[in-house]
């Protein structure tokens, strides 16, 4: 058969095509064959920064570069502030007993006074500690690098400095009949507390926030302070709507709400099982109204001599 009579399409070969390396050898081509390099040792990757680290706000810029203290042991409050991109946030709870009279003060004044007491106690304690440490010689650094700056202890340096900002908060539950609830003291009290919140359905969550910062002009008393009480109304589900006593008892056994005012966590199982509706700021129920907190921080840092209408209203309550 001559060339012209050969079919245009040749039958497909049954063997698999050779790989690129074999083909190069067969055709005597000098294709660069890259040897497999050993994998580099795995390096620990830093976790990505929280989205709040990208917030370009003057008050957050200040807080990221100054000594900021959270006067609370609450992990929820710490998480709410940390998500704003505050890597150097210090936690220093107040050791002063919370023994103010609820009956004499009433809910709003009680929670506000408690938050202010926490903030001032921690602020005064840290100022005294800084003064003491400033009078002491610095401990010799432990050399770990040829760079002296790398051997410095940031925590030790911060502790010798007065706090630039102290944030304190306190949260209580006010029932429909005006009773003030804090954390449950036992499993029995916990069930009783949740049953009361369910049967009365509606209650209010009050969180007081207090911010303290040193005055730039050192005017008496030496610090600026601003406080606010945020209110959120919470509606529990009814017993006939899926919240019978055995569900309350089962929730108590999870121990999720043992360290929370009212005995439940709106951001956890409590919000899914117990809560029917929230009217107001959810982060206030968690333990810290973040937006209002930042407003108070701005006031004591940037506007120390201003008196806002909001503060005057709070004082009238």
């Amino acid at each position: 058969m001559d060339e012209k009579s050969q079919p245009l399409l040749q039958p497909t070969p049954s063997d698999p095509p050779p790989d690129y390396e074999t083909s190069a050898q067969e055709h005597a081509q000098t294709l660069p064959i890259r040897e497999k390099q050993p994998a580099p040792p795995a390096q620990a990757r830093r976790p990505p920064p929280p989205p709040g680290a990208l917030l370009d706000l003057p008050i957050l810029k200040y807080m990221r570069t100054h000594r900021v203290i959270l006067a609370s042991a609450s992990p929820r409050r710490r998480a709410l502030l940390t998500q704003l991109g505050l890597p150097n946030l210090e936690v220093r709870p107040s050791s002063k007993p919370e023994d103010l009279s609820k009956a004499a003060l009433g809910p709003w004044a009680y929670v506000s006074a408690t938050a202010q007491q926490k903030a001032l106690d921690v602020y005064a304690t840290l100022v005294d500690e800084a003064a003491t440490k400033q009078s002491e010689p610095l401990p010799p650094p432990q050399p770990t690098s040829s760079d002296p700056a790398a051997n410095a202890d940031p925590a030790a340096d911060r502790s010798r400095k007065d706090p630039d900002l102290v944030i304190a908060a306190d949260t209580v539950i006010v029932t429909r009949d005006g009773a003030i609830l804090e954390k449950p003291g036992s499993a029995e009290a916990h069930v009783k507390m949740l049953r009361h919140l369910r049967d009365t359905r509606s209650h209010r969550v009050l969180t007081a926030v207090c911010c303290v910062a040193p005055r730039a002009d050192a005017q008496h008393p030496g610090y600026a302070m601003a406080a606010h009480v945020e209110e959120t109304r919470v509606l529990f589900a009814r017993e006939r709507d899926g919240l019978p006593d055995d569900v309350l008892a089962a929730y108590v056994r999870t121990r999720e709400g043992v360290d929370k005012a009212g005995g439940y966590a709106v951001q956890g199982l409590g919000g899914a099982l117990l809560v029917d509706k929230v009217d107001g700021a959810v982060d206030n129920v968690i333990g810290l109204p973040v937006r209002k907190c930042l407003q108070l921080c701005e006031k004591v840092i940037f506007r120390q001599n201003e008196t806002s209408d909001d503060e005057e209203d709070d004082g009238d309550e």
Side-chain angles (χ1 to χ4, degrees):
M1 181 181 293
D2 58 16
E3 284 185 19
K4 294 182 180 180
S5 62
Q6 292 181 0
L8 295 177
L9 295 178
Q10 300 295 327
T12 302
S14 59
D15 296 333
D19 57 60
Y20 282 97
E21 186 172 349
T22 303
S23 297
Q25 293 173 350
E26 288 179 350
H27 294 281
Q29 296 179 358
T30 56
L31 293 177
I33 307 302
R34 183 173 298 174
E35 296 182 0
K36 293 183 179 180
Q37 300 294 328
Q43 296 182 353
R45 293 185 178 181
R46 293 182 179 180
L54 302 177
L55 288 171
D56 188 19
L57 300 175
I59 187 58
L60 290 179
K61 287 182 178 180
Y62 179 92
M63 295 169 72
R64 290 167 188 150
T65 56
H66 290 73
R67 190 182 183 196
V68 180
I69 313 295
L70 174 61
S72 171
S74 167
R76 278 82 56 192
R77 293 185 181 124
R78 181 177 185 177
L80 287 169
L81 288 175
T82 301
Q83 72 179 1
L84 297 174
L86 304 178
N88 299 320
L89 180 69
E90 298 179 49
V91 175
R92 182 67 177 266
S94 171
S95 59
K96 198 165 186 177
E98 300 178 21
D99 54 2
L100 300 176
S101 172
K102 300 181 182 69
L105 293 173
W108 280 266
Y110 169 79
V111 73
S112 180
T114 301
Q116 292 178 46
Q117 177 179 271
K118 291 178 181 180
L120 291 175
D121 174 56
V122 171
Y123 180 79
T125 299
L126 292 175
V127 168
D128 291 343
E129 286 183 3
T132 301
K133 291 182 179 181
Q134 288 168 12
S135 64
E136 300 172 349
L138 278 170
Q142 300 297 324
T144 58
S145 170
S146 58
D147 182 7
N151 296 325
D153 185 356
D157 291 343
R158 282 196 300 269
S159 65
R160 297 170 66 89
K161 183 180 182 300
D162 288 351
D164 295 302
L165 176 65
V166 173
I167 302 169
D170 191 60
T171 301
V172 297
I173 302 292
V174 183
T175 65
R176 199 166 190 170
D177 51 5
I180 299 176
L181 304 181
E182 295 187 278
K183 301 170 186 176
S186 66
E188 182 180 358
H190 198 172
V191 172
K192 184 178 180 181
M193 183 182 290
L194 293 178
R195 188 183 297 123
H196 180 74
L197 293 177
R198 178 201 63 190
D199 294 343
T200 55
R201 289 216 71 198
S202 175
H203 62 272
R204 290 168 292 177
V205 179
L206 305 181
T207 296
V209 183
C210 180
C211 297
V212 177
R215 286 193 63 91
D217 56 8
Q219 181 179 328
H220 181 78
Y223 58 81
M225 183 172 70
H228 171 77
V229 178
E230 186 79 7
E231 176 183 338
T232 300
R233 182 172 175 265
V234 178
L235 203 67
F236 261 36
R238 298 183 180 90
E239 182 175 5
R240 66 174 184 265
D241 294 332
L243 195 54
D245 287 352
D246 61 337
V247 174
L248 296 180
Y251 177 73
V252 167
R253 287 194 293 272
T254 69
R255 297 294 186 265
E256 181 187 69
V258 295
D259 61 339
K260 300 168 183 66
Y264 68 95
V266 72
Q267 73 276 21
L269 286 172
L273 295 175
L274 312 179
V275 175
D276 186 47
K277 183 180 179 182
V278 176
D279 184 10
V282 176
D283 57 0
N284 184 56
V285 185
I286 297 173
L288 188 71
V290 174
R291 185 171 59 250
K292 193 62 189 182
C293 177
L294 291 180
Q295 288 180 332
L296 296 176
C297 292
E298 286 180 332
K299 184 182 186 321
V300 298
I301 297 298
F302 301 139
R303 303 192 301 274
Q304 294 185 344
N305 295 318
E306 291 183 13
T307 301
S308 64
D309 294 338
D310 185 57
E311 286 182 291
E312 293 174 352
D313 293 341
D314 289 346
D316 293 339
E317 286 181 343

